[in-house]
Amino acid sequence: MASIFCQFVRPDKLLFQGEVAHLVLVAQAGELGVWPGHAPEICALGNGVVRLKLLDADGGDTINVIVYGGYVEIGNDNVIVLADHARRSDDIEADVVQKTKDAAVARRDALPAGDHRRAYYDEKIEWCDLLLAHA
């Protein structure tokens, strides 16, 4: 059976590396399925769930990874996902994420309206909301 070699990277670590049967990306324009033999392409990731389908020999499970922005390069049965933020769905601790969100809301709200630093906290809050929706 044909496969795709996938590397899934976020800024602080390699999240996944190995052969997959296929994967479904969340791109800016919607979902994008990638099977062996896919044409070369580079696209921007959206916010949502990337689904990695493991080979039958590896159990055939699906690994769900929550992503928030980034890019993907597809070519020669290789896929490199460079995500701004990424977390496996089975690695979300809802109570920790909620505390992080609460702290970000408090810090954002302590800044005056129009302060450009509020955008950092807005993004952090959106990331936490995305994780909580998939916890």
Side-chain angles (χ1 to χ4, degrees), residues 4 22-35 38-46 49-52 71-74 79 81:
I4 300 168
H22 67 269
L23 61 151
V24 179
L25 301 165
V26 57
Q28 289 285 337
E31 289 191 335
L32 173 65
V34 181
W35 273 258
H38 193 286
E41 185 174 350
I42 294 175
C43 67
L45 290 172
V49 181
V50 172
R51 299 184 304 276
L52 308 172
Y71 294 91
V72 63
E73 179 184 10
I74 304 164
V79 174
V81 179

Side-chain angles (χ1 to χ4, degrees), residues 37-106:
H38 193 286
E41 185 174 350
I42 294 175
C43 67
L45 290 172
N47 302 332
V49 181
V50 172
R51 299 184 304 276
L52 308 172
K53 176 69 169 153
L54 299 180
L55 300 172
D56 289 340
D58 296 328
D61 292 335
T62 298
I63 297 173
N64 293 320
V65 182
I66 315 308
V67 297
Y68 187 89
Y71 294 91
V72 63
E73 179 184 10
I74 304 164
N76 300 321
D77 291 333
N78 288 297
V79 174
I80 301 171
V81 179
L82 300 170
D84 293 337
H85 300 282
R87 170 93 35 106
R88 286 178 58 147
S89 63
D90 60 359
D91 185 36
I92 299 171
E93 297 177 45
D95 57 331
V96 173
V97 175
Q98 186 63 55
K99 287 178 186 175
T100 301
K101 178 185 175 182
D102 293 344
V105 168

